[in-house]
């Protein structure tokens, strides 16, 4: 399921879109730097340790957090491990097929992963059970439920909101019938996040650069650029996607726009609490 | 060091004879059905059944991929049932296991009888089922939701299909086993059933545990009783969606 090839766009559609862009507007009437409506709730993930369902327009990603325990990496013996996984559920689009995660799903997971990794989002030292021996392995599992353009920003918001609401218990060693187990002790505590790294994606169509591409815009675009911006306005990761090119001026302009757009998205994460009633 | 597996409750019935969640033996859990929950799918539905949260999306009839699966004299139904990693207590690996493959197949067989597949040679109808939270009886709830997704798609059907699990605990027949009841082992049996309610035809039947013929008969009757109530909810959900469309809703 190559997202850019499997649906062919006609020249007429492309010309129509370019014509709209030349007049300063888009298919759905948005401005170039305007997001679609963003909705965030806890979603139907009742058994996850933290969760969020994020819709940007008709694009939807569900994220649930789960933990396991295991040994830390040898070079970071006093830190827990966080990994992101993304799955494109085949009902998300008629273009998707079932099967193991393909390169697009893996790229999505890695874009989210890098956003988390390079911004000290989670204090990993809090994920240690026994230094050097036993740590929490935290899984950020993303399910792409409705494909209508820009999975990157949607998934990154979902991951951030899910992590923000994650509760993990303290684990203590216990002997049960002569075998050693880890047993939760006391009430789970909020893991907490220390930063708000949000991903902001632009698509390039002709010479126009627009934020939060819808499906049609994404399919027509030559290239996409995703900036992850943290609470201090620093870029914490970048991913260029697609075979088109950007000039340095275009890249810098998009980066400044991303920095200006970030606070509004970060505020949405700050406001988010996980409410499972009515879910 | 492994995490201690989740424990079982010490008893399964309360002092007053009711089940731990306060249900009588022939009570269903709360069920909510919602149709048209996915924007891109040709048909979709979500079922909230107890704590189960399951989404089904359907596409078709459409071209078969890979092509060699196509049949020149009939259409085919393809079903994929998957559990999300966070749908259960301890994280499930994202790699589909034997259980998911088997359930995909039995759900396919449970739904095929209501479709007129011979009308769509060389084509496929695809149903994708994603369990977001599992709470016992997911294959039955999946069938209930998948039948609604098919109906939402607007293709002709002989009937809906309704799934419900019955079982036996401490040798008492009970309806609609919850997760903790499913895991109980004493005098226990678990029997998922799917029915085409109009003609009371069974389209899925499995059993895990030991039962006498008499108990089997009791359990089948109990299943029909439960399915009848769920069937009403299914019809209500469909009517609700289409009346709201008529008056300019969704």
């Amino acid at each position: 399921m190559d997202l850019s090839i499997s649906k062919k766009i006609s020249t007429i559609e492309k010309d129509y879109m370019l014509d709209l862009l030349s007049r300063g507007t888009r298919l759905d009437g948005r401005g170039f730097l305007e997001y679609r409506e963003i909705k965030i709730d806890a979603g139907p993930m009742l058994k996850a340790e933290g969760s969020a369902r994020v819709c940007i327009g008709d694009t939807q990603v569900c994220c649930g957090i789960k933990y396991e325990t295991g040994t830390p990496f040898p070079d970071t013996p006093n830190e827990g491990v966080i990994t992101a996984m993304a799955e494109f559920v085949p009902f998300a689009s008629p273009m998707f097929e079932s099967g193991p995660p393909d390169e697009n799903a893996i790229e999505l997971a890695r874009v989210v992963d890098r956003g988390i990794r390079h911004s000290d989002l989670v204090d990993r030292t809090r994920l240690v059970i026994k230094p050097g021996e036993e740590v929490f392995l935290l899984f950020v599992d993303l399910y792409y439920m409705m494909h209508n353009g820009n999975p990157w920003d949607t998934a990154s918001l979902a991951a951030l909101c899910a992590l923000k609401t994650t509760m993990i218990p303290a684990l203590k060693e216990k002997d049960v019938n002569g075998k050693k187990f880890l047993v939760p002790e006391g009430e789970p505590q909020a893991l907490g996040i220390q930063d708000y790294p949000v991903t902001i994606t632009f698509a390039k169509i002709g010479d126009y650069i627009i934020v939060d591409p819808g499906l049609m815009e994404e399919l027509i675009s030559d290239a996409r650029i995703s900036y992850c911006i943290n609470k201090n306005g620093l870029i914490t990761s970048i991913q260029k996607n697609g075979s088109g090119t950007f000039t340095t001026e275009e890249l810098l302009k998009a980066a400044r726009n991303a920095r200006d757009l970030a606070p509004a998205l970060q505020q949405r994460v700050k406001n988010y609490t996980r409410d499972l009633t009515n879910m | 060091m492994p995490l201690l597996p989740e424990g079982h409750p010490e008893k399964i019935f309360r002092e007053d004879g009711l089940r731990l969640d306060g249900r009588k033996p022939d009570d269903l859990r709360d069920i909510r059905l919602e149709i048209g929950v996915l924007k891109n799918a040709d048909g979709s539905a979500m079922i909230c059944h107890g704590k189960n949260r399951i989404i089904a999306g359907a596409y078709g009839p459409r071209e078969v991929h890979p092509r060699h699966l196509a049949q020149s004299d009939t259409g085919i139904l393809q079903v994929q049932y998957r559990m999300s990693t966070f749908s259960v207590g301890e994280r499930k690996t994202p790699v589909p296991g034997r259980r998911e493959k088997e359930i995909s197949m039995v759900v396919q067989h449970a739904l095929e009888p209501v479709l007129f597949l011979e009308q769509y040679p060389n084509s496929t109808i695809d149903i994708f089922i994603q369990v977001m939270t599992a709470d016992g009886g997911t294959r039955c709830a999946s069938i209930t939701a998948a039948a609604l997704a098919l109906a939402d798609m607007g293709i002709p059907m002989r009937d809906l299909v309704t799934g419900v699990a019955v079982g036996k605990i401490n040798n008492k027949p009970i309806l609609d086993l919850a997760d903790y009841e499913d895991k109980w082992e004493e005098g226990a049996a678990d029997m998922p059933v799917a029915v085409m309610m109009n003609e009371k035809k069974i389209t899925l039947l499995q059993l895990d545990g030991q039962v006498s013929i008499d108990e089997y008969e009791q359990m089948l009757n109990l299943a029909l009783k439960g399915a009848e109530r769920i069937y009403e909810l299914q019809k209500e959900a469909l009517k609700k969606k289409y009346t709201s469309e008529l008056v300019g809703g969704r």
Side-chain angles (χ1 to χ4, degrees):
Chain A
M1 71 183 137
D2 187 320
L3 302 188
S4 51
I5 290 173
S6 57
K7 177 152 199 270
K8 298 273 185 268
I9 303 293
S10 69
T11 323
I12 296 174
E13 281 172 309
K14 183 158 188 177
D15 287 349
Y16 175 61
M17 195 174 293
L18 282 169
D19 182 49
L20 280 176
L21 291 169
S22 75
R23 287 186 276 127
T25 185
R26 297 162 70 171
L27 278 181
D28 50 7
R30 277 189 287 158
F32 289 7
L33 295 176
E34 202 180 324
Y35 266 86
R36 291 167 288 176
E37 190 192 354
I38 299 175
K39 285 188 211 149
I40 309 176
D41 63 23
M45 293 76 80
L46 308 184
K47 288 193 178 169
E49 264 66 59
S51 74
R53 170 171 66 182
V54 174
C55 292
I56 300 187
D58 286 341
T59 295
Q60 186 187 92
V61 173
C62 284
C63 180
I65 311 285
K66 276 284 177 195
Y67 67 81
E68 286 176 10
T69 56
T71 48
F73 289 119
D75 55 339
T76 51
N78 295 318
E79 289 184 16
V81 180
I82 305 181
T83 36
M85 188 276 304
E87 214 169 283
F88 286 18
V89 185
F91 59 43
S93 162
M95 295 185 266
F96 290 3
E97 287 167 18
S98 49
D102 72 348
E103 58 196 32
N104 292 299
I106 289 166
E107 190 207 24
L108 178 64
R110 287 184 53 82
V111 167
V112 172
D113 200 43
R114 268 188 284 145
I116 296 168
R117 201 170 296 278
H118 296 301
S119 56
D120 298 319
L121 174 62
V122 172
D123 178 5
R124 274 166 231 272
T125 58
R126 283 203 51 198
L127 296 173
V128 177
I129 300 162
K130 208 173 174 186
E133 286 178 35
E134 199 80 44
V135 295
F136 279 98
L137 316 174
L138 217 55
F139 292 89
V140 179
D141 292 331
L142 299 150
Y143 285 80
Y144 193 14
M145 309 291 285
M146 300 196 308
H147 171 53
N148 283 296
N150 196 7
W152 308 285
D153 300 4
T154 319
S156 119
L157 263 187
L160 206 52
C161 289
L163 278 169
K164 184 188 177 228
T165 55
T166 295
M167 310 280 283
I168 51 169
L171 295 178
K172 289 274 148 24
E173 261 183 59
K174 195 178 166 188
D175 272 6
V176 179
N177 305 328
K179 279 188 196 153
K180 278 191 171 171
F181 285 101
L182 286 167
V183 185
E185 202 182 62
E187 288 297 307
Q189 301 291 318
L191 176 67
I193 54 175
Q194 320 183 86
D195 199 348
Y196 295 90
V198 289
T199 302
I200 294 163
T201 297
F202 300 86
K204 182 174 174 182
I205 303 174
D207 287 329
Y208 302 99
I209 293 185
I210 52 174
V211 80
D212 178 32
L215 182 59
M216 205 56 135
E217 294 168 332
E218 190 177 303
L219 293 171
I220 283 181
S221 63
D222 308 304
R224 275 77 58 197
I225 184 93
S226 302
Y227 287 105
C228 190
I229 306 283
N230 79 354
K231 63 178 178 189
N232 300 322
L234 300 176
I235 304 169
T236 62
S237 72
I238 303 178
Q239 180 87 348
K240 185 211 155 229
N241 163 298
S243 51
T245 58
F246 290 94
T247 65
T248 50
E249 289 80 23
E250 284 170 342
L251 289 175
L252 290 170
K253 191 179 167 201
R256 289 192 190 99
N257 287 332
R259 185 192 57 200
D260 295 344
L261 286 163
L265 293 178
Q266 288 162 346
Q267 193 56 46
R268 294 299 299 269
V269 183
K270 286 176 192 164
N271 293 347
Y272 173 67
T273 50
R274 186 180 185 220
D275 180 4
L276 285 171
T277 46
N278 303 320
M279 287 296 167
Chain B
M1 204 180 312
L3 284 160
L4 187 68
E6 280 171 69
H8 302 307
E10 280 172 19
K11 49 182 189 170
I12 202 82
F13 291 111
R14 305 194 314 200
E15 301 288 322
D16 55 10
L18 294 178
R19 295 151 76 176
L20 289 191
D21 51 15
R23 284 188 289 157
K24 293 197 279 292
D26 61 349
D27 276 348
L28 292 166
R29 289 173 286 177
D30 282 338
I31 298 173
R32 277 188 289 144
L33 299 164
E34 202 182 324
I35 292 171
V37 295
L38 301 168
K39 301 277 170 167
N40 295 331
D42 296 328
S44 63
M46 167 152 150
I47 181 165
C48 308
H49 186 149
K51 277 197 187 118
N52 285 310
R53 295 290 181 274
I54 302 169
I55 298 171
Y59 285 96
R62 63 179 180 180
E63 225 173 284
V64 186
H65 287 289
R67 289 301 289 267
H68 69 86
L69 293 174
Q71 293 184 32
S72 55
D73 56 341
T74 181
I76 57 171
L77 173 70
Q78 302 188 92
V79 175
Q80 174 184 295
Y81 164 99
R82 292 285 183 274
M83 307 256 292
S84 305
T85 54
F86 41 68
S87 61
V88 281
E90 208 166 308
R91 180 177 186 261
K92 190 207 147 289
T93 140
V95 183
R98 287 153 49 93
R99 179 180 168 278
E100 283 159 297
K101 289 182 180 163
E102 186 221 340
I103 293 181
S104 300
M105 191 196 74
V106 295
V107 171
Q108 177 201 324
H109 292 164
L111 294 169
E112 270 167 350
V114 289
L115 298 173
F116 297 88
L117 285 173
E118 65 284 359
Q119 302 279 329
Y120 320 108
N122 285 316
S123 307
T124 176
I125 293 171
D126 294 323
I127 301 180
F128 305 106
I129 297 164
Q130 194 72 30
V131 178
M132 304 304 283
T133 304
D135 185 32
T138 59
R139 78 193 66 189
C140 298
S142 294
I143 289 169
T144 305
L148 288 177
L150 286 169
D152 182 37
M153 194 158 73
I155 55 161
M157 293 165 74
R158 289 184 177 87
D159 194 358
L160 291 168
V161 188
T162 310
V164 68
V166 284
K168 191 178 78 158
I169 288 181
N170 294 348
N171 294 315
K172 276 188 207 146
I174 58 166
L175 180 64
D176 187 19
L177 279 74
D179 192 42
Y180 69 92
E181 293 173 323
D182 210 1
K183 289 179 175 138
W184 187 260
E185 281 168 13
E186 207 175 307
D190 170 22
M191 188 170 87
V193 180
V195 203
M196 292 163 65
M197 260 340 276
N198 265 338
E199 295 176 67
K200 298 210 167 44
K201 283 183 175 159
I202 307 292
T203 70
L204 171 131
L205 186 62
Q206 297 181 297
L207 172 79
D208 203 355
Q210 292 183 14
V211 292
S212 69
I213 304 285
D214 285 345
E215 285 172 332
Y216 179 45
E217 189 182 357
Q218 280 176 25
M219 281 160 67
L220 273 176
N221 286 332
L222 194 56
L224 284 175
K225 219 172 122 184
E228 198 154 355
R229 273 179 263 156
I230 301 175
Y231 185 59
E232 289 306 317
L233 295 174
Q234 283 176 300
K235 287 193 290 189
E236 237 169 68
L238 281 168
K239 280 183 197 155
K240 195 174 148 200
K241 185 191 169 196
Y242 288 100
T243 38
S244 74
E245 268 187 6
L246 279 177
V247 296
R250 207 189 91 77

